[in-house]
Amino acid sequence: MSATETTGDQVVTPNKEVVTLSINGQEIQAQAGQTILEVAQANGVDIPTLCHDPRLEPYGACRMCLVEVEGARGPMASCGTMVREGMKVQTHSEKIVKLRKFVLELLLTNHPLDCPVCEAAGDCRLQDYAYEYLVDMVPWGWRAPLAGDPGTHPNIAHFGARCILCGRCVRICREVMSIGCWGYLNRGYDSEVDTPYRLPLQEVDCVSCGQCVSTCPVGAIVGQRTPGGAREWQTEKTVTTCAYCADGCRQVLHTYRGKVVRVASETEKGLNQGNLCVKGRYGMGYVAAPDRLTKPMIRDASGTLVESTWDDALKSVAEKMTAAKEDKGGRAVAAVCGTHSTNEAAYLLQKLMRSVVGSNNVDAIDHGEQAAAEEALMDGFGLPVVSNSREELREADAILVIGSNLTESHPVLALEVIRAVRLGKTVIVMDPRVTELASKAGYHLAVRPGADLAVLRAMVKHMMELDLTDTDFMAAHTDGFEGFEKSLADVDVSVEAVTAGVDAELVRAAAAAFGRAGSAAVLVGTGAAQGPKSKAVMAAIADLMLLTGNVGRPGTGLFPLRSGANSQGLADMGVRPDKFPGGASVADAAAAARLEAAWGMPISGLAAGVPTMRLVDALRSGDIEVLYVVGADPALALRGEGAVHEALEQAGFVVVQDSFLTETARYADVVLPAAVASEDEGTFTNGERFVQRVRAAAPPLGDSLPDWKIVQMLANRLGADWAYAAPVDVMAEVADVAPPYRDVTYEKLEEVELQRPCSGIEHGGTAVPCSKGFEGGKAVFAPVEEGVAETATDAAFPFILITGSVREHHGTGERTRRSAGVTDLVGEARLRLNPADAETLRVLEGETVRVSGRAGSAVEAPVSLDTRTPQGIVFLPGFSPEVPINHLLGPEGSPAPAVRLERVDG
Amino acid sequence: MTTEATTYDTDEQEQEERFAELLDRYKGQAGALVPLLQGGQAIFGYLPEDVMRRVAKAAGEPLSKAVGVATFYSQFRLRPHAKHTIRCCHGTACHVSGAARISEELEKCLGIEAGENTPDMLYTIEEVHCVGACGMAPVVMINDRAHGKLTPEKAVEVVKAFKAEVEGASAGDGRGAPAGAGGREGEDT
Ligand code: SF4
Ligand code: SF4
Ligand code: SF4
Ligand code: FES
Ligand code: FES
């Protein structure tokens, strides 16, 4: 196996044979299957490489890594030669050094050597090796080719003249991304690497991930030069975790004079192994956006927000909270938290609400999309969390992706599925749209929106018909099979397939492939985890896993996908109206007593709070008077057909703590300026439950402050005496009160970079939380529910509106909309419409249509013709305040809305 | 015959049908790229961009790879081909006996660069590797006929004679503004 099998700190080592070899006379033990290069690197012997990248298959083209192997006919490429017992390797013999010099001389003969203006200078292998091997020639007849112009892509520059033809960009875009923007042109001396027909990258399906930038060993593919840019050696480097999606990618922020000027990634480090997506690599512009909030603001008598001091702003908030509490009790105050708040800030926020304000009204903005998964998994497995990690996914023989446009919503996690496709494994995609993965996967079940349950019923039924069940596993680890079996008695695969709008034979084939796989994993996205049948869908998926015994073994697992960088962390920290930190129910008296003792404040007997899904109602009814919004934009995120506006309007007092004037800030009485993630310290817990450090690369802008600090200041205003000097102190307390985090410390995170909290079931924090059994002994089959959650369309409202992610933006878009690296690619939210439907409606690409729902709300958006969207369905993303799609969505738990489209003339 | 040229299908619909059939035949097959490119070129005479895209799709390969293969092998043409091909050999033997100057003069004579077609689509110049007639280097092939032991002046003469023959023969079919009259833009890049 190559280095692509190793994942940072966690090398997958299925009992491999040990071999002994010598490198430069030193005796070394290695595993069979490792390359000479890997073994040398692991033992501190540097071998230069140009065409090698551990993310790629060995290629052996550049000849830089040649070594001498005793007995071999000639020098061998160490990047592609496996170690053998007794091998004797010389890495820097005279002959080898000469060969390397020759390779370098050849490369330099037609290299521009415009290092003074090259973005890669200081981080260029050609420079490094020319220096190391002292290749100081001025070749005969040498004439500098011009580097040329950088191309029109907003983030990625291509200077073909600097290319050394190592092929890494070509391979990474094909092998890792499964796209293939780059290729060779011509042959021999005329060879070049470029896009087909030298088209601009934007025209060749490029997703702007920058993987090619990260792999290019020279300055041929680099980031576009930015105005505030700086040389490699002038910048400070800070390792941190991306604050967008739940993939939790490791980033290296480069700062120059207190400003983040570049985002880089390190190969072989972090969960992402050096891969990022467009947001992570080019979506940092918001940090320096001109409309960053730098001063607290208070709404004055005339209704304008005016700048104030921290003192006045906090005083005003504290007074209102105290008044509401005295008047109606703590439950008149509610806090809602965004998914990029750190664990430390989130923990303090819920502590403030529970112990100081006296209210369980503290919830995450994305609770609605997580609720079904959390509840169903709790019922089935006694565990509300993902049961596996991406290393496990790598071992799966089959992967089923339900309700997620994974390459858009989780672009780096998606690479694992893309890899599975490339390795010929079974990949099944269940999604109404022909998503990128759907078009690459072996099976695409193009289910009607809301009909996932029908397909799942058909799949489990067919697996039982074929006897593809793991009876040993079921006997040993599960209960409730009889009820489950009974619930399927009348299920007819063909009937279900018709209901779902999917070909019955395709469903059967997919079910058989999944059932026959030695190990299988399921990824479930918000497309299936929301809606009236979402809990039934999640329960059926859990059944599917139990039926096939795909739980608690390598290569198996159920991944409910989370959308924000710290969605999982918020749940773990107790940012849930019914859960304490660590997951105990607020009704659990013993847990409440323990917290009381730890906090020294009474919290027992508080009723469960109002979940985000009911926030709109609670605001409208006046039950909640003070709303404290931390890093979220409920005006764009809460669902409820026009009622959101009314609810926020009606709220007695709204506090917005954010880095920007969000849509919600229109309703705010006080605005508190918060630092962004790259100005804060703390941790995020990613979707696979890896806890990773967030580190400050620059100080907070202006008078803004980190969330945790603001929460502490507010708590102290309200009479607490908190004295956390830094987030590390908060984590120490979290480790004390939240059992899953008992082993998490910053020191450990320094050592291993990432750590999984234990699940509360066993204590090692191992990768497969269920492997030692389930809470309460056995997992429980749930009877499979009947029915589906289809949208009722009719002649007046003929289209089904679905929503979801676009790769370039995140959530409600507060940050991505302010990042030029993103908006230069995707600036506006467009309605995706099948060309056939467009023809019927007589609308053209780019024309604006009005999208109206049954309740009378409407939004307008330009049309984008899209064959991936089937007829009868339209898609709108939710990142734009110009297109507030939440006004069209029914309250949480309703099916996708039926809408009407009309041309807007003029 | 020195004036012999490649023949093309002219019936577009028939071309399209044959191409669709070809794509169908190879769909989903491993290693289909090269036969598809060959087949496509046989039908259309060259490989236009939309044909390349459809070939890549049928072969399950990225367009970049299809273009890579098509530009790697000299048998493939990405541009429509003029009726007559003038190949200047730049193999080692010809190179050392002055192929570069010959190319230069012929390019001037026809007003195009190597790899281009004359605007009337009558002539194209190609630079090729050894054509297997090193004994008479430097060599220029006009269609299938080799002319050897050339000087730049001789090469121009041979080409001019060939032009006269072609344009004399086709005078009156409306195709033949004398090549080179198309201006010399693009000569000095
Ligand atoms: S940015 Fe990503 S998709 Fe675009 S060419 Fe590079 S590797 Fe390919
Ligand atoms: S552009 Fe960079 S990565 Fe791509 S082949 Fe050239 S040198 Fe290698
Ligand atoms: S948004 Fe997600 S996939 Fe993209 S870089 Fe950040 S964590 Fe990784
Ligand atoms: S690194 Fe081994 S041949 Fe290029
Ligand atoms: S080199 Fe020109 S014919 Fe051989």
Side-chain angles (χ1 to χ4, degrees):
Chain A
M1 289 284 144
S2 73
T4 46
E5 299 295 307
T6 63
T7 55
D9 317 289
Q10 312 195 338
V11 184
V12 186
T13 47
N15 27 342
K16 277 189 182 157
E17 186 195 327
V18 173
V19 299
T20 308
L21 69 158
S22 94
I23 298 184
N24 302 339
Q26 181 199 347
E27 193 149 292
I28 285 173
Q29 306 246 303
Q31 280 170 22
Q34 283 188 295
T35 62
I36 298 175
L37 178 65
E38 285 169 318
V39 174
Q41 283 172 341
N43 288 279
V45 179
D46 273 339
I47 298 177
T49 62
L50 285 170
C51 69
H52 172 76
D53 182 319
R55 289 171 286 182
L56 305 173
E57 307 288 344
Y59 192 54
C62 73
R63 321 303 286 164
M64 266 311 275
C65 70
L66 292 182
V67 293
E68 280 192 275
V69 175
E70 204 178 278
R73 239 185 265 149
M76 314 272 289
S78 63
C79 65
T81 310
M82 305 297 160
V83 291
R84 281 191 321 274
E85 182 62 39
M87 210 176 213
K88 288 198 172 61
V89 179
Q90 285 295 332
T91 65
H92 284 72
S93 66
E94 205 180 310
K95 182 170 161 199
I96 290 294
V97 167
K98 242 196 189 144
L99 277 171
R100 288 193 190 135
K101 279 184 117 154
F102 180 64
V103 169
L104 289 167
E105 277 167 16
L106 276 183
L107 290 174
L108 289 173
T109 320
N110 56 8
H111 196 81
L113 292 178
D114 59 342
C115 312
V117 294
C118 178
E119 284 293 306
D123 183 20
C124 168
R125 295 300 82 74
L126 197 53
Q127 262 188 349
D128 295 348
Y129 298 146
Y131 180 82
E132 185 178 340
Y133 289 87
L134 202 66
V135 183
D136 60 347
M137 49 114 195
V138 175
W140 171 82
W142 190 78
R143 180 174 57 92
L146 295 176
D149 77 87
T152 56
H153 191 281
N155 305 313
I156 299 164
H158 175 225
F159 298 97
R162 295 184 191 139
C163 176
I164 60 166
L165 300 176
C166 68
R168 279 159 70 163
C169 57
V170 176
R171 289 175 289 138
I172 207 159
C173 196
R174 288 183 195 171
E175 287 177 28
V176 172
M177 299 307 296
S178 174
I179 299 177
C181 298
W182 301 108
Y184 291 97
L185 299 178
N186 310 322
R187 66 189 287 176
Y189 186 79
D190 296 325
S191 286
E192 277 180 81
V193 162
D194 207 330
T195 55
Y197 302 106
R198 304 187 196 280
L199 288 166
L201 271 181
Q202 306 88 300
E203 288 170 36
V204 288
D205 298 332
C206 171
V207 297
S208 309
C209 63
Q211 255 65 280
C212 51
V213 174
S214 77
T215 198
C216 182
V218 296
I221 302 179
V222 287
Q224 289 285 14
R225 186 178 172 141
T226 50
R231 313 305 283 153
E232 167 76 20
W233 53 88
Q234 292 174 310
T235 57
E236 271 174 58
K237 320 286 188 290
T238 308
V239 173
T240 191
T241 305
C242 175
Y244 282 120
C245 89
D247 284 358
C249 295
R250 180 187 158 103
Q251 297 171 311
V252 185
L253 305 183
H254 292 207
T255 36
Y256 181 56
R257 301 197 166 148
K259 289 215 161 67
V260 178
V261 293
R262 192 184 303 130
V263 180
S265 56
E266 291 170 297
T267 312
E268 279 193 291
K269 292 247 174 94
L271 292 162
N272 47 318
Q273 296 287 287
N275 299 319
L276 290 172
C277 81
V278 54
K279 297 183 290 299
R281 216 184 281 279
Y282 303 115
M284 287 294 283
Y286 72 94
V287 170
D291 63 341
R292 271 285 301 274
L293 295 175
T294 55
K295 288 255 191 303
M297 291 192 276
I298 301 182
R299 198 171 295 278
D300 68 7
S302 73
T304 336
L305 283 171
V306 291
E307 288 186 356
S308 80
T309 61
W310 274 107
D311 211 48
D312 290 347
L314 289 169
K315 191 166 145 232
S316 156
V317 176
E319 275 171 14
K320 283 291 174 186
M321 285 190 176
T322 309
K325 186 177 165 183
E326 277 165 8
D327 190 24
K328 288 199 178 170
R331 58 177 201 287
V333 182
V336 55
C337 186
T339 57
H340 55 285
S341 294
T342 59
N343 282 321
E344 291 74 4
Y347 173 80
L348 291 186
L349 179 66
Q350 61 82 38
K351 181 175 175 182
L352 165 82
M353 293 305 293
R354 293 197 157 105
S355 73
V356 182
V357 175
S359 166
N360 273 320
N361 288 341
V362 56
D363 204 356
I365 191 73
D366 68 334
H367 188 181
E369 56 181 57
Q370 308 296 342
E374 285 174 11
E375 285 168 33
L377 295 189
M378 199 67 205
D379 293 352
F381 303 95
L383 189 76
V385 296
V386 49
S387 65
N388 260 323
S389 75
R390 77 184 76 177
E391 277 105 69
E392 303 302 319
L393 207 52
R394 239 166 254 174
E395 313 230 322
D397 299 317
I399 302 175
L400 168 60
V401 181
I402 305 180
S404 169
N405 193 351
L406 202 66
T407 53
E408 308 263 337
S409 62
H410 297 75
V412 170
L413 182 64
L415 302 181
E416 303 296 340
V417 184
I418 281 181
R419 179 187 153 95
V421 171
R422 186 162 58 85
L423 296 179
K425 296 184 175 179
T426 301
V427 174
I428 306 165
V429 172
M430 198 191 293
D431 202 291
R433 291 188 289 158
V434 191
T435 59
E436 189 188 326
L437 265 187
S439 52
K440 286 171 178 153
Y443 303 87
H444 175 208
L445 309 176
V447 58
R448 283 199 194 106
D452 310 80
L453 193 54
V455 180
L456 288 166
R457 267 196 303 265
M459 283 182 74
V460 284
K461 176 73 178 198
H462 191 58
M463 286 179 202
M464 287 174 59
E465 288 168 355
L466 294 179
D467 261 334
L468 294 173
T469 55
D470 189 339
T471 40
D472 292 349
F473 175 86
M474 289 195 289
H477 298 290
T478 68
D479 277 334
F481 181 71
E482 296 69 32
F484 164 78
E485 196 176 22
K486 224 173 111 200
S487 70
L488 291 171
D490 295 332
V491 168
D492 180 322
V493 175
S494 304
V495 172
E496 299 294 337
V498 169
T499 305
V502 184
D503 175 48
E505 280 322 302
L506 189 60
V507 176
R508 286 197 179 93
F514 187 92
R516 293 203 170 101
S519 60
V522 180
L523 294 112
V524 201
T526 51
Q530 270 174 305
K533 285 283 179 192
S534 53
K535 197 177 161 193
V537 167
M538 294 306 304
I541 296 168
D543 287 344
L544 175 71
M545 305 310 282
L546 295 177
L547 187 69
T548 49
N550 279 307
V551 184
R553 285 186 292 122
T556 67
L558 174 44
F559 298 72
L561 296 162
R562 295 186 180 257
S563 54
N566 203 32
S567 289
Q568 177 66 54
L570 297 190
D572 293 350
M573 292 304 112
V575 180
R576 285 289 184 273
D578 55 347
K579 297 252 165 45
F580 289 137
S585 161
V586 294
D588 179 339
R594 276 196 303 274
L595 276 181
E596 263 180 11
W599 292 347
M601 298 280 276
I603 58 162
S604 290
L606 290 182
V610 174
T612 305
M613 299 81 92
R614 295 216 324 268
L615 194 57
V616 170
D617 292 340
L619 286 167
R620 286 170 82 193
S621 68
D623 288 350
I624 290 173
E625 282 185 358
V626 176
L627 181 64
Y628 180 22
V629 182
V630 178
D633 202 356
L636 284 181
L638 295 180
R639 312 161 63 118
E641 291 170 331
V644 179
H645 170 72
E646 194 188 313
L648 290 167
E649 197 87 315
Q650 235 162 285
F653 194 77
V654 177
V655 185
V656 166
Q657 175 173 320
D658 209 296
S659 310
F660 305 102
L661 272 186
T662 58
E663 291 303 296
T664 311
R666 291 169 193 267
Y667 307 92
D669 298 280
V670 172
V671 174
L672 306 173
V676 296
S678 59
E679 300 162 352
D680 200 357
E681 296 281 332
T683 55
F684 285 152
T685 304
N686 92 332
E688 300 143 87
R689 304 192 83 222
F690 284 108
V691 182
Q692 305 187 77
R693 277 301 309 275
V694 174
R695 294 186 184 84
L701 193 71
D703 288 349
S704 68
L705 289 171
D707 284 324
W708 69 270
K709 211 175 223 173
I710 305 175
V711 173
Q712 167 161 284
M713 281 163 29
L714 181 58
N716 289 344
R717 283 279 169 161
L718 288 163
D721 57 349
W722 295 357
Y724 305 100
V728 64
D729 300 345
V730 183
M731 186 45 82
E733 184 174 318
V734 171
D736 266 351
V737 305
Y741 282 69
R742 80 171 67 110
D743 294 325
V744 177
T745 66
Y746 282 17
E747 289 90 73
K748 267 202 207 160
L749 289 174
E750 287 304 324
E751 280 163 32
V752 300
E753 288 166 5
L754 48 96
Q755 191 181 17
R756 295 192 104 198
C758 67
S759 62
I761 292 166
E762 32 64 54
H763 311 297
T766 57
V768 193
C770 287
S771 57
K772 292 183 190 153
F774 300 96
E775 186 125 297
K778 292 200 168 176
V780 185
F781 273 104
V784 182
E785 265 185 42
E786 292 174 13
V788 288
E790 275 198 88
T791 303
T793 50
D794 52 34
F797 294 92
F799 290 97
I800 303 175
L801 171 67
I802 56 176
T803 182
S805 318
V806 291
R807 183 182 345 241
E808 289 78 7
H809 287 272
H810 186 260
T812 39
E814 288 71 39
R815 292 169 292 164
T816 46
R817 270 186 271 121
R818 291 177 171 87
S819 301
V822 163
T823 52
D824 287 349
L825 294 164
V826 176
E828 55 182 6
R830 287 175 165 246
L831 179 89
R832 303 220 182 131
L833 179 67
N834 188 281
D837 286 336
E839 208 175 313
T840 317
L841 292 163
R842 298 159 159 272
V843 287
L844 302 173
E845 171 87 28
E847 279 185 340
T848 300
V849 291
R850 180 177 299 112
V851 187
S852 4
R854 289 189 198 273
S857 316
V859 301
E860 289 182 4
V863 159
S864 161
L865 300 186
D866 177 27
T867 50
R868 290 182 181 276
T869 306
Q871 278 182 262
I873 295 175
V874 290
F875 171 86
L876 258 180
F879 66 82
S880 168
E882 271 79 57
V883 190
I885 179 177
N886 57 325
H887 293 310
L888 288 173
L889 305 175
E892 206 72 48
S894 11
V899 293
R900 175 172 59 220
L901 305 184
E902 290 146 309
R903 278 177 59 177
V904 178
D905 288 318
Chain B
M1 277 291 289
T2 48
T3 52
E4 181 185 271
T6 328
T7 52
Y8 302 117
D9 281 291
T10 42
D11 183 349
E12 272 180 39
Q13 199 182 331
E14 193 210 314
Q15 284 181 338
E16 176 52 39
E17 274 164 23
R18 284 173 59 199
F19 186 53
E21 205 176 283
L22 176 80
L23 293 179
D24 230 39
R25 188 152 14 108
Y26 283 97
K27 193 145 254 167
Q29 275 183 37
L33 196 51
V34 170
L36 278 171
L37 290 171
Q38 285 167 333
Q41 179 158 298
I43 294 168
F44 297 100
Y46 75 108
L47 294 162
E49 190 172 325
D50 70 302
V51 167
M52 290 295 290
R53 287 183 187 274
R54 289 164 71 191
V55 161
K57 194 155 179 221
E61 299 282 3
L63 178 63
S64 64
K65 184 152 183 187
V67 173
V69 170
T71 56
F72 184 85
Y73 295 107
S74 51
Q75 57 171 299
F76 295 117
R77 297 178 194 143
L78 290 173
R79 274 185 286 230
H81 223 276
K83 202 163 177 195
H84 306 286
T85 311
I86 296 159
R87 293 186 181 84
C88 295
C89 179
H90 281 239
T92 316
C94 294
H95 180 76
V96 298
S97 32
R101 288 253 359 256
I102 292 180
S103 273
E104 229 171 83
E105 286 306 316
L106 293 185
E107 284 170 10
K108 258 194 231 162
C109 168
L110 292 177
I112 53 171
E113 299 265 316
E116 291 177 349
N117 299 315
T118 52
D120 57 11
M121 290 305 281
L122 279 180
Y123 313 101
T124 187
I125 301 182
E126 280 179 359
E127 285 179 7
V128 295
H129 297 286
C130 179
V131 298
C134 310
M136 44 196 270
V139 178
V140 169
M141 306 250 324
I142 301 184
N143 291 336
D144 290 334
R145 179 157 171 200
H147 303 262
K149 301 222 185 282
L150 295 173
T151 59
E153 295 72 33
K154 260 207 215 154
V156 171
E157 256 170 51
V158 173
V159 168
K160 281 201 169 141
F162 177 72
K163 271 180 65 175
E165 194 182 329
V166 170
E167 281 153 40
S170 69
D173 73 0
R175 291 193 64 181
R184 298 197 160 199
E185 68 273 346
E187 193 169 85
D188 50 3
T189 24

